[in-house]
Amino acid sequence: TGGPLASGQAFAAGGSWGSADVEEDRITTLCAGCGNFCGMAVYVQNGTIVRAQGLKEHPHTGGYLCGRGQGYVKVPYAENRVRTPLKADGSGGFQEVSWDEALSDIAQHMQEAGPQSTGWFQDGRGTDSYYTKRLMSAFGSANYYDESALADIDISTVIPTVMGAYPAPSAGKSRCIVLLDKSSYEGVRPHEIEEIIKARENGGTVYVVDPRLCSFGALASEWVPIKPGTELAFLLGVSCFLVENGLHDQAFVEANGNGFDDYARAIAQYTPAWASEKTGIAAEKIEEIARALAEAAPHCYVDLQWAGTLGSGYANSAEQIRALLLLNALLGNFNQEGGLIFPTSPWLGDDALDQTMFIPTGQPSAPAAGEGDFALSRSTSCQAGLRAGLQAAVFCECDPVSDWPDAAGTAEAFDAIPFKAVIATELTPAAKRADYVLPALTFLERPGIVGTATSVTSMATLRNQVIEPVAPDAKAIYEIVTDLAGHLGLSEYFAFTLDDYNEALCAAYGVSYDELRRASVAELPGCTLQYGSMPFMMSASGKVEFSCDAFAAAERSATPEWVEPAVQPSDGKLRLITGDQFTQVRTYTLAAEGLRKDAVDNGLDRLWVNPQTAEPLGIADGDRVKVTSGTGETVATARVTGQIHPDAVYLPPHYGREDQGFSARLQSLIPCQYEPGTGAAMLNETLVTLQKEGA
Amino acid sequence: MSFEPVWGAPIIWYLFLAGLGAGAFATSAFLSWRHPDATSMRRTGYLIAPIAVGIGLVLLMLDAEAGLHDPLRFALLLSNPLSVMTWGVVFLSLFMLAALAALVLTLAGRSVPKWVNVAGLALAVCVAMYTGALLGVCRPYSLWNSALLPTLFLVSAFSSGAASVLLASVGFHAEEFNRVGVLKKFHFCLPVAELLLLASLLFVTGYVSDAGWQTVTSLVAGEYALMFWLGLVGFGLVLPTALETWLLFVSPKEFEESRKAHLVSALSDVGVVVGGFLLRYLVVMAAAPVAFV
Amino acid sequence: MTAYGMFINAKACVGCHACRLACQNQNGLPADVSFITFHERETGQYPNLHTETIPTQCMQCDDAPCAQVCPTKATWQDADGGVHMDTTRCIGCRYCMAACPYGARTLDHATGIVDKCRYCVAGGDETSTNCVTACPANVRIWGDLDDPDSEVAKAVAAHNAQPLAPNLSHAKFYYVR
Ligand SMILES: Nc1nc2c(c(=O)[nH]1)N[C@H]1C(S)=C(S)[C@@H](COP(=O)(O)OP(=O)(O)OC[C@H]3O[C@@H](n4cnc5c(=O)[nH]c(N)nc54)[C@H](O)[C@@H]3O)O[C@H]1N2
Ligand SMILES: Nc1nc2c(c(=O)[nH]1)N[C@H]1C(S)=C(S)[C@@H](COP(=O)(O)OP(=O)(O)OC[C@H]3O[C@@H](n4cnc5c(=O)[nH]c(N)nc54)[C@H](O)[C@@H]3O)O[C@H]1N2
Ligand code: SF4
Ligand code: SF4
Ligand code: SF4
Ligand code: SF4
Ligand code: SF4
Ligand SMILES: [Mo]
């Protein structure tokens, strides 16, 4: 409702500075703008959302939301909402059908295809994934595909192998921070912004080692541009310098490391001078950073970001993550203030829930279709799953057509699956090509499942419903799954309500469901970190694996070694890099009109090109540029800027949607490929050429 | 740096038509003083004045969309005595009164009293200068923010107003047209004055700020150069001056009254009118705002 | 006198746009109307660069050029120099847009109404405006500049913050750059 006078009319006619006298409800919930699930308070007037603010009590927010969090609260009101179940009419359009008709037809197709030829694809948010995974297991299928191969598979493979504990930064008290491959403020938690400011105010140094100076650079002490793909060399160079000069924490390494001597011998060759050749960073700078870390230790860290760049970026990403974890171990910063912390959270075993109500589903007999046999892991890539000859598939909040590499090949593979249903809140490009589209409720229109937010003191969290559904016929995913299970004859596995499940989780966690429904966050008893303690290591040796048998078994070096990236920029070929922007996540946040317009107004979809690269090609700021790779091409507007390494161009991943008025499409350029060790999609191993349009 | 002009075609036409109308009235007032027997031409000027200004005012209202949605709001236009636009509304209303009175009297075959002409002329000066002052108080635009602009607009207004009357007369009242020598001589001076004012304005603008320099560059050597040199300077100022110089001072007296000469004269007047429009167009569109970050 | 103004530490601005989006929510603005604008500045050459994101909005000019020119008093100034907007009086002539040195006026294409930052005070919390409370980098402080004990006045003094363009108007926004 309402024109400009509807709310916030503080400084209006009459000149009063006071606020308008409107009844306001404050409801706490969790943001869905990205995977951080920040706690937030949403203010509602006459049933309409008017504003949102981060919850101070939630460890990721510090009381703030990021830009996309602020903008995404308006997504329930998106114009393009799917409002009723839709069935493709065979001539490019859709007809409205009843839920019953849609679900029974989908169930029938799933049964006809059978568990081995039916797939379920779900994006990184994994909304209600307890239900969706459970459905597929009960159905007897292992064909459940998430997007980890496109996101963080290198990280999630290497951490258990090398240490088995998951780190988080403790920025506030840090004396020296190295952010590698991390846009941080553009990518990660609002609270970290305040923390980094605190670190700087306390005299700490923040190095950003990145081929791109993202907007977070505003808070860094120094930008150290690096040749993209050579971070591993940088880490090896710093590690070598520390060990050669005895600057590492010898006591820590002795007590907690496994195979350190082999490690020390192996990395001796990676001197700062050697690393300088590879990275393009001066050897003195590498030494300076190494010394700065050593002086600050243990109140320092090299950050491990959690994204596609590191998690599935390069042929050497897995090796890079290993080098990074071991470098932190050299600094002895585990569970130290200002170092890396390893938050604790409760582990719920199989018997945590009452098995008479939550009947176990058993293990599917056959492996997943398209199962990958990778040297370090056996996980299945969603890209492979899409190409595994499935007969029926459900895509839950997942838009391969917009978001996966090799846009043309992906669309072809998607179309080749004979029967497809898409669960979505808006009519996405994938939805438009499906046989059925099922309308999902957005995050503010439905209750959620109890989860956790890990931190120094970990919390139980709950997303609460904030408004009545704007699309009243849409359903929450847990409801859709429960109903679909009914049509599949699997009701016994879902003979509980969402409240039953949440109460059971709360009982297991030892928190009050009522309290969570009131406040969205509650401290988890016994989950407060003790500084100075050693995290529980789940690696084979129970220690930090400086020399690692699992790597040796995968026919890799037991100790870290230099691995070349798969492709090298040369002869006018540039490396295409990407990274998240502050106001978008993937492409789905564009559904919120405010975020889409912000991108348009500020030209956020531009291609970053260094002047040294642009000038010889006759490309000026604002020119339209054709970008071509071995996989495809796209046209983008150039932003000629010194904020990018001359060997690389940067294109954000969020604007592939032509139907939303954007043209530049990253995903058209990136090939579908698999790193042999982990199956990661190697998203940054793409070379492109530029040509001014019309030239 | 790219910027979007605040105003577009309707306001450009409005500024042009208000000036032209004021100039047309001034021409008639001048005629009744120096050429009292040129009654048809005088009637033409009295006719053009309220019509041109009236069309301009309609465009102004159409452009003010929020007012269009709620027309009662136009009554609020007189609220702020400090606003140049409020003055403009006052000037325009009073001027319209005088112009309509003169028109009605003329059409009724009565003579227009001298005080109406004097008051109307004074208001015509106010209207013409106001169109310049309207832009002039806008601080961000160096091109506008100059005392020369109201004067330039005044000269251009009277020039295009007179040209419009002469142009209509050369077609419909050729015989009277031949007799208004003083008007023609006076009219001849205006483009010359305009040229000097324009040159000064650009010179000063180019020096006061980067934005001013950017504006002038875009006019004389950039995006707007063709329209500026060929349209405004060439066709709108130099050509009329050259043609009139030739007609007034070079060509034999007999030629001046020939049909051919009338065509030449008409061409020159078309030039002046088009030039008047282009001046408004270029001033509104090319002005770049001063950078503030 | 009270002189409400803002301190903006542009050095800390991470360009997250949370303020813009929070403002649009708070004020029920259409997606294509934003009271806040961001200016990206880059000086120097790769790799020795200085970059800035400078957020701007209505600067509450003491000499309010917009209020001076507004014929309907839809934009008007109170005795303390606060610049207010009464959208019900606006005819959409855009004179204020032409007069504002900071491009701070916004045109709603659907209604023709021209608006600007309202200094909204969110949810009864009169200590701050919504763009201030939404900023995760604490870039902004709002308050009474005439009260030397106010946080905003202290910050302006401590950082020797300056208006962006003193030659264009007497703004009540002070920037650290
Ligand atoms: N080149 C390159 N590619 C990358 C990365 C990279 O760094 N570089 N990063 C990777 C990473 S880290 C990740 S996590 C992946 C993520 O990639 P994806 O998770 O595939 O991308 P999304 O845009 O999140 O796709 C989600 C779809 O869900 C729909 N949706 C949104 N909200 C809702 C909702 O509430 N309900 C329902 N039912 N549907 C909804 C939207 O319509 C959207 O189309 O991308 C990876 N891709
Ligand atoms: N705004 C926003 N926030 C998000 C998300 C989002 O999509 N948008 N997604 C969420 C998810 S799923 C994830 S996984 C996290 C990811 O958040 P982050 O881990 O911070 O990842 P990105 O923001 O993608 O940052 C990648 C950074 O790496 C840089 N980079 C790219 N290529 C290279 C390279 O070759 N070498 C080096 N050294 N740097 C490189 C880019 O310039 C960029 O600065 O963010 C979460 N938060
Ligand atoms: S980081 Fe931003 S988008 Fe993600 S959950 Fe937090 S507020 Fe929402
Ligand atoms: S910044 Fe612009 S809108 Fe605000 S008071 Fe100054 S002139 Fe008016
Ligand atoms: S657009 Fe509205 S606020 Fe601006 S000057 Fe005109 S009437 Fe006043
Ligand atoms: S003070 Fe209020 S209206 Fe002004 S920019 Fe900030 S949030 Fe928007
Ligand atoms: S919210 Fe703060 S940090 Fe973010 S863009 Fe606005 S002023 Fe800058
Ligand atoms: Mo991710």
Side-chain angles (χ1 to χ4, degrees):
Chain A
T1 64
L5 295 174
S7 64
Q9 188 64 325
F11 193 20
S16 107
W17 295 92
S19 58
D21 245 352
V22 192
E23 279 279 335
E24 225 177 41
D25 287 328
R26 177 182 185 272
I27 300 160
T28 60
T29 188
L30 305 180
C31 179
C34 78
N36 285 334
F37 296 166
C38 292
M40 67 177 177
V42 181
Y43 296 80
V44 176
Q45 289 175 5
N46 305 322
T48 303
I49 294 163
V50 290
R51 106 194 127 82
Q53 181 76 36
L55 278 186
K56 195 115 200 136
E57 307 78 48
H58 191 282
H60 299 169
T61 79
Y64 303 103
L65 300 173
C66 73
R68 62 196 174 278
Q70 288 286 357
Y72 201 57
V73 295
K74 287 293 178 91
V75 82
Y77 308 107
E79 261 179 35
N80 210 12
R81 287 289 300 269
V82 188
R83 294 176 171 274
T84 54
L86 299 173
K87 179 182 184 174
D89 61 12
S91 55
F94 286 101
Q95 71 196 48
E96 294 182 7
V97 291
S98 70
W99 273 105
D100 222 39
E101 188 183 338
L103 289 177
S104 67
D105 201 18
I106 293 169
Q108 198 185 328
H109 276 90
M110 286 174 72
Q111 272 157 344
E112 277 164 17
Q116 266 57 267
S117 294
T118 298
W120 188 285
F121 295 80
Q122 187 139 6
D123 92 332
R125 285 164 294 175
T127 313
D128 298 349
S129 62
Y130 173 74
Y131 281 77
T132 57
K133 280 183 185 157
R134 189 172 171 80
L135 178 74
M136 287 307 276
S137 311
F139 185 52
S141 174
N143 301 344
Y144 182 91
Y145 307 96
D146 64 20
E147 289 171 329
S148 54
L150 301 176
D152 51 21
I153 190 122
D154 283 322
I155 301 174
S156 54
T157 305
V158 172
I159 287 182
T161 319
V162 174
M163 311 190 328
Y166 285 79
S170 158
K173 294 249 165 76
S174 196
R175 311 280 311 156
C176 182
I177 299 172
V178 176
L179 297 175
L180 187 69
D181 281 36
K182 171 156 171 166
S183 66
S184 197
Y185 296 3
E186 295 199 19
V188 187
R189 300 166 176 175
H191 186 46
E192 266 186 60
I193 299 180
E194 257 193 334
E195 291 266 295
I196 300 244
I197 292 173
K198 240 189 257 163
R200 289 292 313 278
E201 280 172 0
N202 296 339
T205 313
V206 180
Y207 294 100
V208 169
V209 182
D210 196 312
R212 180 177 76 101
L213 180 59
C214 60
S215 70
F216 153 73
L219 298 184
S221 323
E222 191 175 336
W223 174 37
V224 182
I226 183 169
K227 185 174 172 198
T230 67
E231 299 69 19
L232 173 59
F234 168 81
L235 293 167
L236 292 172
V238 171
S239 305
C240 168
F241 186 82
L242 292 178
V243 173
E244 292 296 294
N245 294 285
L247 295 172
H248 62 291
D249 187 332
Q250 291 161 29
F252 180 89
V253 166
E254 191 133 324
N256 303 299
N258 174 44
F260 178 75
D261 293 342
D262 288 348
Y263 167 86
R265 261 190 305 280
I267 65 164
Q269 57 181 305
Y270 302 122
T271 61
W274 170 86
S276 174
E277 289 248 321
K278 291 282 175 198
T279 59
I281 304 173
E284 298 73 45
K285 182 58 70 182
I286 296 173
E287 291 174 13
E288 175 199 316
I289 295 174
R291 276 208 195 84
L293 284 167
E295 265 163 41
H299 311 292
C300 67
Y301 62 91
V302 181
D303 202 3
L304 174 101
Q305 56 99 336
W306 203 254
T309 318
L310 184 65
S312 56
Y314 289 95
N316 63 17
S317 286
E319 204 56 72
Q320 189 194 336
I321 293 153
R322 176 153 71 139
L324 188 148
L325 294 169
L326 298 180
L327 169 53
N328 279 295
L330 291 180
L331 299 166
N333 64 6
F334 288 16
N335 279 345
Q336 296 289 336
E337 276 190 305
L340 288 186
I341 56 167
F342 295 78
T344 55
S345 63
W347 171 252
L348 299 188
D350 284 344
D351 49 359
L353 305 182
D354 170 6
Q355 303 208 349
T356 57
M357 184 181 269
F358 304 95
I359 302 172
T361 55
Q363 290 294 319
S365 50
E371 194 190 58
D373 187 9
F374 303 109
L376 285 165
S377 76
R378 286 192 66 79
S379 77
T380 309
S381 155
C382 55
Q383 302 188 97
L386 194 73
R387 291 163 174 83
L390 297 174
Q391 295 301 304
V394 178
F395 296 85
C396 183
E397 293 187 306
C398 175
D399 184 356
V401 179
S402 299
D403 290 309
W404 293 6
D406 183 16
T410 297
E412 209 175 291
F414 183 88
D415 289 344
I417 299 175
F419 181 83
K420 300 170 289 289
V422 167
I423 302 173
T425 53
E426 58 143 0
L427 211 53
T428 58
K432 285 180 191 149
R433 305 168 94 108
D435 299 285
Y436 279 98
V437 187
L438 303 179
L441 289 171
T442 66
F443 71 118
L444 296 169
E445 301 169 295
R446 44 155 297 178
I449 293 175
V450 173
T452 58
T454 57
S455 183
V456 176
T457 295
S458 295
M459 300 277 207
T461 58
L462 177 63
R463 181 173 292 148
N464 288 309
Q465 182 173 350
V466 172
I467 50 168
E468 287 306 311
V470 176
D473 285 342
K475 290 182 194 246
I477 288 164
Y478 72 87
E479 292 173 312
I480 299 174
V481 168
T482 306
D483 292 352
L484 182 57
H487 288 278
L488 286 166
L490 301 170
S491 291
E492 62 188 298
Y493 296 101
F494 294 92
F496 50 87
T497 64
L498 183 73
D499 278 340
D500 291 336
Y501 181 49
N502 278 337
E503 302 238 38
L505 287 173
C506 284
Y509 286 145
V511 296
S512 145
Y513 189 33
D514 284 340
E515 176 61 10
L516 277 180
R517 273 189 293 203
R518 191 188 62 75
S520 272
V521 289
E523 270 186 30
L524 282 164
C527 289
T528 298
L529 179 92
Q530 295 302 315
Y531 285 112
S533 65
M534 191 52 198
F536 178 68
M537 298 272 133
M538 296 202 304
S539 57
S541 65
K543 296 192 167 194
V544 182
E545 305 254 33
F546 281 96
S547 174
C548 179
D549 292 344
F551 270 72
E555 284 168 34
R556 299 192 161 206
S557 160
T559 48
E561 63 173 347
W562 167 247
V563 175
E564 289 287 343
V567 297
Q568 290 291 354
S570 67
D571 303 331
K573 290 209 165 112
L574 303 156
R575 188 183 291 282
L576 175 67
I577 68 165
T578 189
D580 294 327
Q581 275 177 349
F582 36 78
T583 47
Q584 310 295 345
V585 177
R586 311 306 159 225
T587 54
Y588 70 81
T589 40
L590 291 171
E593 184 65 4
L595 292 173
R596 194 183 72 78
K597 266 305 282 183
D598 177 70
V600 172
D601 287 356
N602 292 290
L604 296 183
D605 59 339
R606 286 172 295 171
L607 173 84
W608 295 27
V609 198
N610 190 290
Q612 293 173 34
T613 315
E615 260 157 42
L617 296 170
I619 294 169
D621 195 53
D623 281 350
R624 300 282 290 162
V625 176
K626 191 166 99 184
V627 191
T628 310
S629 75
T631 302
E633 60 177 51
T634 195
V635 176
T637 302
R639 174 184 180 198
V640 177
T641 169
Q643 298 182 48
I644 176 97
H645 194 283
D647 279 359
V649 288
Y650 162 84
L651 200 58
H654 313 296
Y655 306 104
R657 295 276 301 266
E658 269 157 35
D659 59 331
Q660 284 172 325
F662 297 99
S663 68
R665 183 151 188 215
L666 175 77
Q667 313 298 6
S668 302
L669 302 167
I670 301 175
C672 172
Q673 51 194 5
Y674 308 92
E675 199 267 299
T678 62
M682 300 201 292
L683 299 164
N684 277 23
E685 299 277 27
T686 307
L687 297 179
V688 295
T689 53
L690 308 185
Q691 193 185 16
K692 184 175 162 166
E693 219 185 21
Chain B
M1 194 175 96
S2 73
F3 58 91
E4 247 182 77
V6 169
W7 286 311
I11 294 300
I12 294 167
W13 278 104
Y14 158 71
L15 295 173
F16 167 66
L17 290 170
L20 184 139
F25 186 94
T27 307
S28 294
F30 182 85
L31 285 169
S32 59
W33 174 45
R34 294 306 299 264
H35 301 288
D37 45 351
T39 50
S40 314
M41 280 184 73
R42 204 162 69 212
R43 201 179 319 122
T44 309
Y46 286 142
L47 191 64
I48 291 175
I51 293 179
V53 174
I55 296 175
L57 283 173
V58 169
L59 286 172
L60 182 67
M61 311 245 286
L62 287 177
D63 195 53
E65 216 186 303
L68 210 62
H69 291 317
D70 183 5
L72 286 179
R73 293 186 188 183
F74 285 118
L76 302 170
L77 270 167
L78 296 174
S79 308
N80 183 3
L82 288 179
S83 170
V84 177
M85 195 176 284
T86 300
W87 306 348
V89 171
V90 173
F91 294 152
L92 283 162
S93 318
L94 295 178
F95 175 75
M96 273 300 260
L97 278 182
L100 285 172
L103 178 63
V104 169
L105 289 171
T106 312
L107 290 182
R110 314 242 315 261
S111 74
V112 178
K114 189 163 175 207
W115 70 267
V116 172
N117 269 330
V118 171
L121 182 63
L123 287 164
V125 172
C126 292
V127 166
M129 293 194 75
Y130 138 78
T131 59
L134 183 78
L135 303 183
V137 297
C138 296
R139 296 182 201 178
Y141 302 95
S142 299
L143 180 65
W144 300 356
N145 206 225
S146 158
L148 288 166
L149 193 72
T151 320
L152 175 62
F153 272 24
L154 173 68
V155 174
S156 159
F158 279 18
S159 176
S160 53
S164 70
V165 175
L166 289 167
L167 185 62
S169 314
V170 86
F172 302 114
H173 318 291
E175 176 269 337
E176 265 180 31
F177 176 85
N178 291 335
R179 283 186 279 119
V180 293
V182 185
L183 174 67
K184 286 190 201 156
K185 289 220 170 71
F186 190 68
H187 177 227
F188 161 78
C189 304
L190 293 176
V192 179
E194 210 179 317
L195 220 86
L196 295 175
L197 282 166
L198 183 63
S200 323
L201 178 70
L202 294 191
F203 190 77
V204 173
T205 304
Y207 274 92
V208 290
S209 67
D210 288 348
W213 176 252
Q214 194 190 333
T215 307
V216 173
T217 325
S218 77
L219 282 171
V220 302
E223 203 186 335
Y224 298 101
L226 201 68
M227 205 184 274
F228 178 80
W229 288 114
L230 284 184
L232 176 57
V233 176
F235 192 63
L237 296 171
V238 173
L239 179 78
T241 310
L243 293 178
E244 297 288 334
T245 309
W246 184 61
L247 283 176
L248 287 174
F249 306 110
V250 182
S251 69
K253 185 92 188 115
E254 316 77 63
F255 178 79
E256 228 183 275
E257 295 184 3
S258 71
R259 202 61 209 158
K260 258 197 196 132
H262 287 169
L263 285 179
V264 173
S265 220
L267 180 63
S268 136
D269 290 328
V270 169
V272 170
V273 173
V274 170
F277 176 79
L278 287 180
L279 177 69
R280 282 11 172 243
Y281 179 88
L282 291 170
V283 165
V284 170
M285 299 300 285
V290 174
F292 56 89
V293 285
Chain C
M1 293 257 288
T2 35
Y4 288 108
M6 206 178 277
F7 166 85
I8 294 191
N9 180 5
K11 272 189 173 158
C13 176
V14 294
C16 70
H17 297 195
C19 48
R20 166 182 165 136
L21 291 145
C23 171
Q24 287 180 322
N25 287 350
Q26 169 71 18
N27 293 291
L29 303 182
D32 59 351
V33 173
S34 169
F35 292 160
I36 297 174
T37 311
F38 303 99
H39 307 267
E40 306 276 350
R41 283 292 167 273
E42 179 178 320
T43 45
Q45 275 194 338
Y46 174 89
N48 302 306
L49 284 184
H50 177 62
T51 59
E52 291 182 290
T53 305
I54 303 153
T56 64
Q57 65 213 59
C58 168
M59 311 253 175
Q60 292 290 337
C61 310
D62 279 335
D63 49 349
C66 56
Q68 282 171 18
V69 302
C70 176
T72 63
K73 287 212 161 175
T75 305
W76 61 283
Q77 215 170 2
D78 66 29
D80 287 337
V83 185
H84 307 253
M85 180 65 206
D86 176 356
T87 51
T88 63
R89 291 177 75 94
C90 176
I91 57 168
C93 68
R94 310 202 286 291
Y95 202 7
C96 52
M97 294 179 87
C100 171
Y102 309 103
R105 314 278 324 193
T106 60
L107 171 65
D108 181 344
H109 289 279
T111 60
I113 289 174
V114 177
D115 208 336
K116 68 170 191 73
C117 158
R118 298 168 188 166
Y119 261 13
C120 64
V121 183
D125 169 6
E126 304 209 354
T127 60
S128 236
T129 68
N130 206 32
C131 52
V132 171
T133 49
C135 173
N138 288 317
V139 166
R140 301 155 170 275
I141 304 174
W142 178 85
D144 181 4
L145 292 163
D146 278 358
D147 170 5
D149 293 329
S150 71
E151 235 195 294
V152 65
K154 283 195 276 193
V156 169
H159 290 87
N160 187 26
Q162 298 295 327
L164 279 184
N167 55 323
L168 289 172
S169 81
H170 303 294
K172 287 198 281 283
F173 268 53
Y174 291 81
Y175 285 81
V176 183
R177 296 182 60 182

